[in-house]
Amino acid sequence: MKHESILAMTDVQTYMSQHHILQGMTLDVKIGRVTTLLGRNGAGKSSTLKTIMGLYPATSGSIQFDHQEIAKMEPFQIARLGVGYVPEEQAIFYHLSVEENMTLAMLTDNPTTRERCDRMMDLFPDLKRFWKSKGGVLSGGQRQMLAIARAMVNENKLLLIDEPSKGLAPILTDALIVAFNELKKTETIILVEQNFYMATQCGDDYHIIDDGRVVHSDLIENLEKNEELKHKYLGIG
Ligand SMILES: Nc1ncnc2c1ncn2[C@@H]1O[C@H](COP(=O)(O)OP(=O)(O)O)[C@@H](O)[C@H]1O
Ligand SMILES: [Mg+2]
């Protein structure tokens, strides 16, 4: 089956204070798939998400999202076009309750959004349990779930999620894998993930990033058997 592309980066260059961070980033994300970005620490995975989101400026190259050029747009414009972003540092309000965190995240308050919120609470029962509790009392894993639920409550065309399993106990990572496999039935996701097990359990396609550019792309099932690539770029085995 041929999948249509929702996002295409072509030869994108990004500089931050003299540092050449993205060095010809070219990649493609297909509708309805989970595309994982893999690669060592410092390879440029987070910077790729920040550049898509307009948080880091692309000095040249093209970023096509949903048939529009977004490379020169502001983050709020990109968000309005339907790109959700869950940064590494779980963006939740610690002094507000789970309910308030969810309500504030809703760009529109209508029955569809309310339904999506209910779906998130079914997906993450811990959040339902702590509905009236402050974000600050949640565990690391529960905060991660809240951050994801906040981004997912709106109908996005593409969701960017940066290392959701970072620092989580294996049992919480397993809960996230279950949640992602439910979410991927309806959503298109770019998932940055250092946890190779999580990446293979959730991902469909992968791009390996090294020195700010893509060095290898394929179906994730083909990567599992490729010991050479795993060793060279991911430090596995
Ligand atoms: N704001 C910034 N200013 C300067 N250098 C940065 C900035 N953000 C990222 N970098 C550098 O860019 C490279 C890629 O970083 P990053 O995208 O965070 O890697 P990854 O997420 O793959 O671990 C690293 O060498 C990092 O130090
Ligand atoms: Mg990172």
Side-chain angles (χ1 to χ4, degrees):
M1 191 164 90
K2 184 125 173 52
H3 294 269
E4 197 191 330
S5 156
I6 181 88
L7 181 95
M9 298 177 87
T10 310
D11 200 19
V12 172
Q13 312 283 337
T14 300
Y15 291 82
M16 290 299 282
S17 54
Q18 320 297 326
H19 297 278
H20 193 181
I21 297 178
L22 297 192
Q23 309 184 23
M25 178 60 66
T26 297
L27 61 78
D28 181 68
V29 172
K30 302 209 164 54
I31 293 176
R33 315 263 300 164
V34 175
T35 300
T36 55
L37 303 186
L38 307 171
R40 293 175 199 278
N41 245 332
K45 305 179 298 295
S46 298
S47 301
T48 302
L49 299 191
K50 288 173 186 165
T51 302
I52 295 169
M53 213 51 220
L55 297 165
Y56 283 9
T59 45
S60 68
S62 152
I63 307 176
Q64 286 277 325
F65 170 69
D66 199 22
H67 312 293
Q68 278 186 78
E69 182 58 47
I70 62 165
K72 299 285 175 221
M73 287 189 190
E74 298 290 334
F76 77 92
Q77 296 173 302
I78 295 167
R80 273 190 203 155
L81 290 178
V83 185
Y85 174 47
V86 183
E88 236 174 309
E89 56 291 348
Q90 303 137 11
I92 66 161
F93 296 102
Y94 286 50
H95 59 289
L96 299 180
S97 68
V98 169
E99 177 181 23
E100 290 162 334
N101 264 283
M102 289 306 294
T103 306
L104 273 181
M106 294 176 190
L107 292 178
T108 50
D109 188 356
N110 59 32
T112 316
T113 316
R114 290 276 155 196
E115 259 167 48
R116 288 180 71 89
C117 184
D118 291 345
R119 181 171 169 230
M120 289 305 130
M121 295 306 115
D122 291 341
L123 205 54
F124 301 118
D126 270 12
L127 296 183
K128 200 166 14 189
R129 216 149 46 80
F130 287 104
W131 187 239
K132 295 286 180 191
S133 307
K134 298 241 187 294
V137 309
L138 301 178
S139 73
Q142 291 160 347
R143 283 177 200 165
Q144 190 58 269
M145 289 167 188
L146 180 55
I148 294 167
R150 279 172 52 84
M152 304 276 329
V153 78
N154 301 303
E155 219 167 332
N156 289 306
K157 293 188 180 128
L158 175 66
L159 193 68
L160 317 177
I161 308 178
D162 202 347
E163 292 209 43
S165 77
K166 195 175 181 182
L168 296 192
I171 188 160
L172 284 171
T173 303
D174 287 341
L176 272 187
I177 290 171
V178 171
F180 277 113
N181 278 301
E182 180 59 34
L183 289 173
K184 69 188 273 185
K185 293 176 186 164
T186 53
E187 313 294 322
T188 302
I189 298 171
I190 303 183
L191 177 66
V192 169
E193 195 47 75
Q194 291 269 42
N195 179 332
F196 188 68
Y197 174 71
M198 167 120 182
T200 56
Q201 292 302 302
C202 305
D204 299 306
D205 306 307
Y206 75 85
H207 300 293
I208 295 178
I209 296 177
D210 200 40
D211 284 337
R213 66 176 74 86
V214 170
V215 292
H216 215 277
S217 309
D218 200 351
L219 301 174
I220 202 127
E221 64 205 52
N222 295 335
L223 179 62
E224 286 180 75
K225 315 167 239 186
N226 194 327
E227 299 302 330
E228 194 193 327
L229 272 183
K230 277 159 60 177
H231 178 69
K232 186 166 179 201
Y233 294 110
L234 309 176
I236 299 170

